[in-house]
Amino acid sequence: MNPILNHIPNLKHLGSGMFFVMAGPCVVENEEVMMRVAEKACAVTDALKIPYIFKASYRKANRSRLDSFCGIGDEKALKLLDKVRREFGVPTVTDIHNPEEAAIAAQYADVLQIPAFLCRQTDLLVAAAKTGKVVNIKKGQFLAPEAMAFAAGKVHDAGNPNILLTDRGTTFGYHDLIVDMRSIPTMQALGYPVVMDITHSLQQPNTTSGVTGGLPSMIETIARASVAVGTDGLFIETHPNPAEAKSDGANMLPLDRFEGLLTRLCRIRETINAF
């Protein structure tokens, strides 16, 4: 396992030989959803010896429509994120959208995530770096994987070498994304752990309704391929009832399928590790 992961507090099972997982609801909706997802995800990943980071955005800034759900309020959402961290003893990751958010979010999260559309924003990357937290940079849908060397370089040159790189698909036409599995080894060659964002890679953006669509039936396909290729980590948004989720429900994994999916993926990793 890449030594960068040692800089994430309370990340268990690092010696298991398994990929790590970032998983949780898209956005902090309420305490019930947060605690329910965290309880299930922690139980499953502990049983399978998978290093686990709880994921939830405390605020969604990139929305298609003005009336889209953005959050329950920054302070309230961040406190719920911290409650998960304290009660379940797991690290947390959340998005930040402007430089001023970095120091605030760093009080409640162990990993700061740079959204894909913002991966070239120098001030944002530098502010995240200066918190000392591990920084997860999502590859822009408009970038080649090798171009992430420059995004990572901004964080590294600002004094923080603890970087994760996440692929979430590449724009294909106006309404679809494609996943190029070559992105995983290409970005790993830069020296950082690489994560495949399974659920966002299956989005269908820019629909005429103004609500992003998705292909959740393909979650396992992309996940299996990513593990087979050798991804260091997986990013999965999951919800007890995706149809009622406040954000990105169209491409989320139902929580009751989380255990089965990870169990099958572990078998693939175990097979690969045996060679």
Side-chain angles (χ1 to χ4, degrees):
M1 189 64 73
N2 194 296
I4 288 171
L5 297 175
N6 292 322
H7 294 272
I8 302 176
N10 300 317
L11 187 58
K12 296 180 281 188
H13 309 305
L14 282 176
S16 67
M18 281 296 152
F19 46 84
F20 66 95
V21 169
M22 298 180 177
C26 176
V27 64
V28 178
E29 297 180 10
N30 55 56
E31 183 171 350
E32 179 184 1
V33 169
M34 292 279 283
M35 303 307 280
R36 184 174 172 186
V37 173
E39 182 178 25
K40 178 68 173 181
C42 286
V44 169
T45 53
D46 270 343
L48 295 173
K49 307 299 182 188
I50 295 173
Y52 173 59
I53 304 168
F54 179 86
K55 180 270 162 189
S57 298
Y58 74 92
R59 174 158 52 89
K60 299 300 289 186
N62 177 24
R63 303 287 84 193
S64 296
R65 301 188 332 199
L66 186 61
D67 60 354
S68 297
F69 180 80
C70 293
I72 60 174
D74 292 359
E75 184 177 3
K76 184 177 180 181
L78 285 167
K79 286 183 176 179
L80 283 176
L81 197 66
D82 188 52
K83 182 173 183 178
V84 168
R85 179 168 66 171
R86 290 184 286 105
E87 293 202 5
F88 292 95
V90 293
T92 56
V93 56
T94 197
D95 301 288
I96 58 172
H97 308 89
N98 61 63
E100 292 72 27
E101 292 180 45
I104 298 170
Q107 299 175 55
Y108 303 92
D110 302 291
V111 179
L112 298 182
Q113 183 164 279
I114 308 300
F117 281 127
L118 301 178
C119 69
R120 287 168 54 95
Q121 297 298 104
T122 301
D123 289 349
L124 179 61
L125 291 164
V126 170
K130 289 184 176 179
T131 66
K133 298 287 184 175
V134 171
V135 180
N136 181 34
I137 314 172
K138 287 196 170 185
K139 184 185 79 65
Q141 300 92 320
F142 45 86
L143 286 180
E146 54 267 28
M148 288 301 287
F150 304 108
K154 293 177 183 180
V155 175
H156 191 282
D157 291 348
N160 188 344
N162 299 315
I163 300 162
L164 310 176
L165 299 178
T166 295
D167 192 4
R168 54 140 305 157
T170 302
T171 299
F172 184 73
Y174 290 118
H175 303 293
D176 208 357
L177 299 169
I178 57 170
V179 177
D180 183 352
M181 289 299 163
R182 295 175 299 177
S183 294
I184 294 174
T186 297
M187 292 196 292
Q188 284 173 330
L190 300 176
Y192 305 108
V194 172
V195 181
M196 179 57 75
D197 181 343
I198 304 302
T199 47
H200 284 110
S201 294
L202 294 169
Q203 283 184 334
Q204 293 180 313
N206 306 318
T207 61
T208 55
S209 68
V211 177
T212 298
L215 295 170
S217 62
M218 300 295 290
I219 287 174
E220 185 149 349
T221 300
I222 300 299
R224 287 186 178 202
S226 300
V227 171
V229 169
T231 188
D232 297 287
L234 297 173
F235 181 106
I236 304 171
E237 288 191 337
T238 183
H239 191 281
N241 187 353
E244 296 181 358
K246 300 289 188 181
S247 176
D248 284 358
N251 50 269
M252 272 205 224
L253 178 74
L255 186 61
D256 61 7
R257 290 178 50 198
F258 186 75
E259 182 173 8
L261 174 64
L262 288 189
T263 299
R264 292 186 290 275
L265 296 178
C266 284
R267 291 173 184 162
I268 295 173
R269 177 51 61 91
E270 288 167 355
T271 301
I272 292 171
N273 288 345
F275 286 94

